Amino acid sequence: MIAFDFIVAAGMLLLAWHLLSCRDLFQSVVLFISFGLLMALAWVRLNAPDIALAEAAIGSAMTGALLLAALDEFKPSAKRRNGPGPGIASLLFCGALGFVLAFALLKLPPEAAGLRDAAATEVSKTGVSNPVTAVLLSFRGYDTLLEIGVLLMAALAVLSLGNRPPRFVLAPSRSLVLSAMVRFLLPILVLAAGYLLWVGADAPGGAFQAGSVLAGAFILAALVDTGWMSRVSDRQWRWILAAGLGVFLAAGAGTMLSGVSLLEYRGATSKRVILAIETAAALSIGATLLILFLGGTGRMDTDGKDDS
Amino acid sequence: MMASPEAWLVLCPLAAAALAFLWRSRGAFIGIVSALINGALVAWLIALMRTEGVRRIEIGGWSAPLGIEFYADGLSPWMLMLAAILGVATAVYARGYFKDPGSWFWPIWLMLAAAINALFLTRDIFNAYVCLELLGLSSVALIALSGNPDALAAALRYFFVSMLGSLFYLLGVSLLYSAHATVDIDRLRSLVSETPATLAAAAFMTVGLLLKTALFPLHFWLPPAHANAPAPVSALLSGLVVKASLYLLLRLWFEVFPGAIFASVAPLFGLLGAAAVVWGGIQALLQERVKLVVAYSTVVQVGYFFLLFPLAAHPLTAELARQGVIYLLLAHAIAKSAAFMAAGNFIRVVGSDRLEDMKGAGTALPVSMFSLGLAGISLMGLPPSAGFIGKWKLFSASLTAGQWWWTVVLAAGGLLSAAYFFRILSPALAEPSRLGAKIPRTMKWTPMALALAGVLLGFLAPQLLEIFEIGAPLRPAAAMEGGP
């Protein structure tokens, strides 16, 4: 396996160098997507399947889609303005940074278990058996509450840049192959998202992975036919975007009002609360990523009134 | 547990942000109500702390290191109080400034308010990272709000700076976590020693946070970002947002990193602070736009805050220096917001923010003129303002510590402030004006109220400092023994 690890690591370095030095931005983006996939493999090898899933779904696929959408704005063919390859100054800086990091890391105790044992002892009280889900929604659920706030904030930022409410309009693709494939894929994607969401309680998966699969489904559907999107009104889109934060806040306020500490839930209730939060969060994450994608395409119709 | 204002201080603004997003046309109303509730919650927290002292509360029923804990010693309510005062003032001012009550300003600003409150209440360095993310993203969106090309460019640059700063900070957090298996400040404090990992973490986190705090020479992004934002946003960014990363930096250096490192970097911080005072002051004198002058004045004031490090390293003067800097923080937040709001009024009436166009603006807007003058008094550090109390304490601390050179910096800073404030005030008073002043009454009187508060707070020093001294924050045992 050492050989495999070596190939993955060397491949990542090679890809990184290549994507930074090639002149064609489209090529860079494609290389970046492959880099994300290798990164996901690396996470698998590091025994972090949850992070691997997130990396593949968000780090590689979603970010790739966002970059491609952004690239669309620099038509016809985007080239880097400054010469090929990273400059000497940034190479020196990164080299120094890498050196300091490597030195500090090598001096660390070889087996850093972190809080793994503590989490393993307490996980039975959380109502879920996947320790990652336990950390995200129970031990450090408060972090996740704020992170869901960050996601809504990201959607707000994109919407505010257009200064108007979104009115999802894309030029629908006329490709028969694409539309036939999407018709076939959509139900599978939705099912996969539901599965990831449900299985997250006991195995790798959860709201973030499910949300990004859902976003993939949303985006594919938007590429083929936009009719369904305008059938959902702007107001309803806003509710979907805010659902994750709303349910999380309701859980927070509910726990406070019932006299326990913020977001304190245990056992059987815990599983139900966590599932409710994750379902709403997955929907919001999917919608947020769709907004980011549409914002990047510059195709959000903007016909509201101006601010300020 | 219901009696925990800490949790509500985070839940309420977040909920208000979601509501202001769902009912956009009611944004202004939701914002103002939320700011008032926020003020009441902070008052509640302070009342509780006056009887109970330092508060530490588990979240989710899990204690650290597995869970996250809310924590409040005197520094937390101090910062929360400052945020609450600015929150109410900003909300009232912004209601007049943004003619559309459904402006995106409201939900985004409420997100920022939640992030600020959460940051001032956390005891967990990873949770602080999440707060920084929310804070950074909301600040970027607020800077870009006006949508003009300069604002967008400044917002994008700020976004990169802010992300870079956050990532450096996160790098430090992960190093500390792998070395010590905890991200709780108190636990880390008892575990850290001068290992390579701690040193690297200290370096990364410091660089990241200095970038966000805009300490010279990492201040390059601040003037365009603060000057191109809408007036209420500039007031928030200079008054509050810069201080959030400073707060975290103070927590880390006074409560986590070992005293020996503290003693060796303290003079460096002092030096950079002094350079910021002089450089920022000279730059402010050279600017041709009103808001850029006020923005460079923030670079100056950030410099003052860093004089805390060399002076707190000295056992005799730690007390004076802590109180002095903490008072300067308060004075600057209030006076700078007042200054940006008053400048915003001038710009609204004159239709330009060039100094040469300001002729006669003062006679058209006497109230705003007077508020700018009062804010200037506090920023220059003239008696009896809050700024004076802060500077006086720092002055005495420098003399007691035998580090007289800081008094030169303080005096130079004060003179430079006077000079650049008169550059705004004198053309404004020059000729009688023919400008028709048409701005809402709230916009006229909010900066006035703030500027007056900035002066009056000078009289309340003993009572207010009592709140700050709960649990004696920013008093590192290590620095006391390791002083020169």
Side-chain angles (χ1 to χ4, degrees):
Chain A
M1 279 321 253
I2 283 288
F4 180 75
D5 291 351
F6 184 77
I7 293 172
V8 170
M12 281 168 68
L13 277 177
L14 208 70
L15 274 178
W17 177 260
H18 202 52
L19 85 85
L20 286 175
S21 55
C22 73
R23 282 188 78 86
D24 183 17
L25 277 180
F26 178 77
Q27 206 181 342
S28 285
V29 172
V30 174
L31 288 171
F32 178 81
I33 296 173
S34 358
F35 178 83
L37 291 175
L38 275 189
M39 188 82 200
L41 269 182
W43 286 120
V44 172
R45 288 292 301 137
L46 288 167
N47 271 332
D50 287 85
I51 306 182
L53 268 177
E55 178 69 42
I58 297 180
S60 176
M62 267 315 299
T63 316
L66 291 183
L67 287 174
L68 285 174
L71 204 60
D72 212 34
E73 299 284 288
F74 300 115
K75 275 177 191 173
S77 71
K79 294 263 187 273
R80 277 170 218 267
R81 248 180 294 166
N82 37 11
I88 293 290
S90 59
L91 274 182
L92 279 179
F93 176 76
C94 292
L97 191 69
F99 181 79
V100 172
L101 258 183
F103 184 71
L105 285 177
L106 287 175
K107 293 279 177 182
L108 282 178
E111 182 66 26
L115 292 166
R116 198 192 300 147
D117 297 336
T121 341
E122 301 284 6
V123 76
S124 58
K125 295 181 194 162
T126 62
V128 293
S129 64
N130 176 10
V132 176
T133 305
V135 169
L136 286 179
L137 283 135
S138 189
F139 302 142
R140 298 185 67 94
Y142 174 60
D143 270 345
T144 311
L145 167 68
L146 292 176
E147 280 292 358
I148 297 291
V150 171
L151 278 165
L152 179 59
M153 185 53 237
L156 275 171
V158 170
L159 292 174
S160 73
L161 283 176
N163 256 343
R164 289 145 217 194
R167 188 78 28 102
F168 306 88
V169 179
L170 280 167
S173 161
R174 298 232 172 76
S175 157
L176 271 178
V177 181
L178 183 66
S179 60
M181 194 186 77
V182 168
R183 251 169 249 281
F184 172 70
L185 272 180
L186 265 186
I188 298 179
L189 281 176
V190 174
L191 194 68
Y195 172 74
L196 278 172
L197 186 67
W198 178 256
V199 83
D202 309 305
F208 287 91
Q209 290 87 345
S212 48
V213 172
L214 208 56
F218 281 155
I219 291 174
L220 274 180
L223 288 175
V224 176
D225 167 32
T226 51
W228 68 277
M229 290 170 92
S230 38
R231 278 197 291 281
V232 183
S233 72
D234 282 354
R235 165 161 288 266
Q236 284 163 330
W237 276 114
R238 283 213 284 269
W239 277 94
I240 296 174
L241 283 170
L245 184 63
V247 171
F248 224 137
L249 286 173
T255 46
M256 290 294 292
L257 291 174
S258 58
V260 289
S261 73
L262 177 66
L263 294 173
E264 176 175 356
Y265 28 76
R266 293 286 185 273
T269 333
S270 177
K271 169 139 195 176
R272 254 171 274 145
V273 174
I274 288 179
L275 196 64
I277 293 175
E278 287 209 291
T279 310
L283 268 177
S284 295
I285 291 168
T288 303
L289 293 174
L290 175 67
I291 291 274
L292 297 189
F293 179 79
L294 291 177
T297 62
R299 286 184 195 140
M300 265 186 303
D301 181 27
T302 49
D303 66 346
K305 54 183 161 41
D306 212 321
D307 278 320
S308 79
Chain B
M1 273 303 149
M2 251 182 86
S4 157
E6 289 91 343
W8 295 114
L9 275 167
V10 179
L11 294 179
C12 286
L14 274 180
L19 289 178
F21 172 57
L22 291 174
W23 286 281
R24 275 193 56 209
S25 54
R26 294 245 166 268
F29 174 75
I30 294 170
I32 288 177
V33 171
S34 169
L36 291 174
I37 293 177
N38 190 57
L41 287 171
V42 172
W44 180 20
L45 178 67
I46 291 176
L48 284 177
M49 288 181 69
R50 288 182 87 99
T51 54
E52 291 172 29
V54 174
R55 281 170 62 89
R56 187 183 251 291
I57 288 171
E58 293 172 357
I59 301 174
W62 305 107
S63 57
L66 195 55
I68 306 169
E69 290 174 0
F70 283 130
Y71 173 90
D73 58 17
L75 184 58
S76 315
W78 186 269
M79 302 303 287
L80 287 168
M81 178 174 76
L82 194 150
I85 296 174
L86 290 197
V88 175
T90 312
V92 172
Y93 183 83
R95 204 182 79 97
Y97 186 91
F98 297 103
K99 287 160 199 140
D100 174 13
S103 164
W104 285 106
F105 171 81
W106 298 102
I108 300 175
W109 163 65
L110 287 162
M111 285 283 186
L112 186 138
I116 288 266
N117 282 357
L119 182 68
F120 293 154
L121 284 167
T122 190
R123 198 58 174 167
D124 181 297
I125 56 172
F126 180 79
N127 184 248
Y129 165 75
V130 182
C131 301
L132 282 182
E133 247 190 289
L134 188 56
L135 182 63
L137 201 52
S138 47
S139 307
V140 169
L142 285 177
I143 296 171
L145 208 57
S146 72
N148 66 48
D150 284 345
L152 290 179
L156 192 62
R157 185 186 298 143
Y158 177 68
F159 185 52
F160 291 146
V161 165
S162 176
M163 284 310 284
L164 191 66
S166 297
L167 287 177
F168 267 110
Y169 175 79
L170 186 61
L171 204 53
V173 173
S174 57
L175 277 175
L176 286 179
Y177 175 71
S178 16
H180 305 296
T182 181
V183 280
D184 178 73
I185 286 183
D186 293 298
R187 260 153 256 263
L188 281 173
R189 179 185 213 164
S190 59
L191 291 171
V192 291
S193 55
E194 290 153 64
T195 58
T198 307
L199 288 174
F204 289 144
M205 294 165 101
T206 304
V207 169
L209 292 172
L210 286 183
L211 200 54
K212 281 170 172 279
T213 311
L215 177 65
F216 177 89
L218 299 174
H219 67 283
F220 57 91
W221 57 268
L222 184 144
H226 288 199
N228 285 309
V233 174
S234 311
L236 279 175
L237 292 175
S238 263
L240 211 51
V241 174
V242 169
K243 288 173 188 84
S245 44
L246 176 69
Y247 167 87
L248 200 49
L249 197 69
L250 293 179
R251 287 282 189 206
L252 288 175
W253 277 104
F254 282 81
E255 296 173 1
V256 175
F257 300 137
I261 320 182
F262 181 95
S264 52
V265 297
L268 178 67
F269 278 140
L271 208 63
L272 288 178
V277 170
V278 176
W279 177 255
I282 293 172
Q283 286 299 314
L285 273 178
L286 299 175
Q287 299 308 312
E288 290 303 325
R289 290 170 53 201
V290 179
K291 284 180 85 182
L292 275 175
V293 176
V294 187
Y296 269 106
S297 146
T298 299
V299 175
V300 174
Q301 299 278 337
V302 166
Y304 289 141
F305 306 147
F306 281 85
L307 299 186
L308 173 62
F309 287 88
L311 293 172
H314 196 288
L316 282 180
T317 56
E319 186 88 0
L320 272 172
R322 290 161 61 242
Q323 297 194 348
V325 163
I326 219 66
Y327 229 80
L328 270 185
L329 273 179
L330 179 73
H332 172 248
I334 291 180
K336 186 51 60 71
S337 309
F340 264 123
M341 289 176 186
N345 290 350
F346 286 154
I347 294 165
R348 173 71 51 100
V349 168
V350 174
S352 141
D353 86 336
R354 307 197 65 79
L355 278 175
E356 63 205 30
D357 298 334
M358 288 298 150
K359 283 204 178 104
T363 21
L365 289 173
V367 179
S368 302
M369 187 72 204
F370 192 49
S371 347
L372 193 63
L374 280 180
I377 285 178
S378 194
L379 290 171
M380 291 172 221
L382 298 179
S385 64
F388 168 74
I389 305 281
K391 274 201 176 170
W392 180 249
K393 283 185 189 277
L394 278 183
F395 220 87
S396 332
S398 323
L399 290 176
T400 318
Q403 304 179 3
W404 54 269
W405 44 90
W406 305 128
T407 60
V408 180
V409 174
L410 287 164
L415 284 175
L416 283 167
S417 312
Y420 56 71
F421 260 96
F422 283 118
R423 285 192 66 219
I424 308 179
L425 295 179
S426 56
L429 285 174
E431 303 158 19
S433 101
R434 291 176 300 278
L435 297 161
K438 273 172 289 179
I439 54 167
R441 228 179 310 163
T442 46
M443 282 173 72
K444 239 182 255 176
W445 290 101
T446 311
M448 186 67 186
L450 273 179
L452 272 178
V455 173
L456 291 178
L457 284 175
F459 295 106
L460 290 174
Q463 291 84 343
L464 286 177
L465 285 172
E466 225 170 81
I467 300 173
F468 168 66
E469 289 295 352
I470 297 172
L474 304 186
R475 201 202 300 263
M480 302 297 273
E481 81 213 11

